[in-house]
Amino acid sequence: MKSITVFTPSYNRAHLLPKLYESLCYQSCKDFVWMIIDDGSKDNTKSIVEIWRNEADFEIQYYYKENGGMHTGHNLAYSLINTELNVCIDSDDYMPGDAVEKIICKWNTIIDKNNVSGIIGLDADISGRLIGRKLPENVEFGSYFDVYDKYNAYGDKKFILRTALLKDFPKYPEYKNEKLVPLGILYMIMGEKLPFAFFNEVICIVEYQEGGSSNTIFKQYFQSPKGFAYARKLKLNYTKSKKEIIKYCVHLGALLFITKDINVTFRDNQYKVLSFFLLPFGFLLYLYLLIKR
């Protein structure tokens, strides 16, 4: 069995996948499986993957599902992966040639693997510039909140997950007519149970696409309000920052005005009273989101 699964949820990205495929072909270590989750594509994704499966010197797995959004692709991948580690590399991104080798070398330095959630590495853009700030050099382990709140290591990071632990956590909820649940919440709750090993090496090269999830976030707030509310409530359960608590309560207020459903904001919300008093600010955020959309 290979050590790590690189999985890629993809929807109509046949024109972008070749760059990721080429980066996997050039990996210095082939101790991985590439799993493609085709989220209902209507282009020629399946046919080009079949060609690659016949020519590649590494295993390629292909699974087709009805379109449901990126988080549903993650749900399917997590149910299928059986390698010790896994990492999501999006269809518009790719890996440096030594990324897999570096991940496995780092993993092999961790003595008590059963007491970590995985590894946190770095993302960079196509010019090689880090997206955000490095992890602290003098700290070996930490949580999702440590990265962003304690050490202010802002910007995208790449989370490599320990599969056995991952399977202990619930899947992302799948709401009718919604196609997004923010993915960072899984890394957050895993890191609260067991820390991640910090790894200041670039694992992924990121290219943001027009129409990708990063560039349509304001529209997605209106398209998937229940998914966003679920994520905001989870963060309220875990964050220790008063500033963040206020922020998430304001976001939940905005979602009330988007959905006109009081349950979206107040059900399972441990800060109901605070959320109520912050509703005027939630309305202002709602107006801002309307404009940005």
Side-chain angles (χ1 to χ4, degrees):
M1 183 186 296
K2 300 297 184 180
S3 295
I4 184 169
T5 296
V6 177
F7 75 93
T8 303
S10 183
Y11 175 65
N12 290 340
R13 291 293 184 89
H15 60 295
L16 295 174
L17 285 169
K19 183 175 285 188
L20 172 53
Y21 170 66
E22 288 173 11
S23 78
L24 296 176
C25 288
Y26 289 117
Q27 288 300 307
S28 56
C29 172
K30 295 295 173 62
D31 190 13
F32 69 91
V33 174
W34 186 26
M35 178 185 290
I36 299 153
I37 305 295
D38 188 341
D39 190 28
S41 295
K42 296 177 174 61
D43 60 9
N44 62 328
T45 295
K46 183 176 181 180
S47 60
I48 63 169
V49 171
E50 283 302 315
I51 294 172
W52 294 340
R53 290 178 73 177
N54 291 326
E55 68 181 22
D57 62 350
F58 54 90
E59 182 181 354
I60 300 176
Q61 300 174 356
Y62 173 84
Y63 298 95
Y64 181 91
K65 61 180 286 298
E66 293 300 316
N67 181 251
M70 186 174 288
H71 67 292
T72 66
H74 281 244
N75 283 343
L76 178 57
Y78 293 150
S79 70
L80 295 168
I81 292 168
N82 57 15
T83 54
E84 188 173 18
L85 298 172
N86 68 85
V87 61
C88 176
I89 304 295
D90 290 337
S91 55
D92 50 356
D93 301 335
Y94 57 97
M95 302 183 83
D98 57 356
V100 170
E101 181 179 4
K102 285 182 175 178
I103 290 170
I104 293 172
C105 287
K106 173 63 178 178
W107 184 245
N108 288 336
T109 68
I110 300 172
I111 297 173
D112 192 358
K113 295 179 174 60
N114 289 328
N115 277 317
V116 296
S117 286
I119 300 168
I120 302 177
L122 305 178
D123 284 353
D125 64 21
I126 57 175
S127 66
R129 292 174 299 187
L130 291 183
I131 298 177
R133 181 180 290 174
K134 276 189 171 185
L135 298 159
E137 297 283 1
N138 59 340
V139 178
E140 289 188 75
F141 302 96
S143 69
Y144 177 97
F145 283 115
D146 287 338
V147 171
Y148 294 107
D149 295 344
K150 187 175 181 179
Y151 302 119
N152 194 31
Y154 60 86
D156 288 352
K157 301 292 182 286
K158 186 53 61 181
F159 288 77
I160 300 102
L161 307 180
R162 182 164 65 88
T163 305
L165 178 65
L166 163 70
K167 292 182 182 290
D168 290 339
F169 290 87
K171 292 183 177 181
Y172 295 107
E174 299 182 11
Y175 299 106
K176 186 177 180 180
N177 299 324
E178 294 197 13
K179 295 188 177 180
L180 180 71
V181 174
L183 300 173
I185 56 173
L186 174 62
Y187 315 143
M188 178 190 73
I189 59 178
M190 287 184 69
E192 290 302 294
K193 181 171 184 177
L194 292 173
F196 288 91
F198 289 175
F199 189 42
N200 270 317
E201 294 285 348
V202 174
I203 302 302
C204 181
I205 306 298
V206 176
E207 289 193 75
Y208 296 114
Q209 300 295 316
E210 187 69 31
S213 61
S214 299
N215 288 327
T216 59
I217 191 70
F218 297 109
K219 286 184 179 180
Q220 291 169 1
Y221 237 87
F222 290 85
Q223 294 168 349
S224 301
K226 292 180 181 178
F228 275 96
Y230 173 81
R232 298 299 180 257
K233 290 173 188 176
L234 264 184
K235 289 187 175 183
L236 275 174
N237 288 336
Y238 286 99
T239 187
K240 301 172 182 66
S241 165
K242 293 180 181 179
K243 179 181 176 181
E244 294 294 292
I245 290 169
I246 292 171
K247 181 178 79 173
Y248 298 139
C249 286
V250 170
H251 279 240
L252 287 170
L255 289 164
L256 186 151
F257 293 105
I258 290 172
T259 63
K260 310 297 188 294
D261 182 354
I262 197 169
N263 290 321
V264 167
T265 299
F266 291 105
R267 179 179 289 170
D268 301 323
N269 178 354
Q270 63 175 321
Y271 294 98
K272 291 182 176 68
V273 174
L274 180 60
S275 294
F276 175 79
F277 283 107
L278 290 172
L279 280 177
F281 297 96
F283 182 70
L284 292 175
L285 176 59
Y286 164 68
L287 294 178
Y288 173 77
L289 292 170
L290 274 177
I291 294 168
K292 296 296 289 186
R293 181 184 65 166

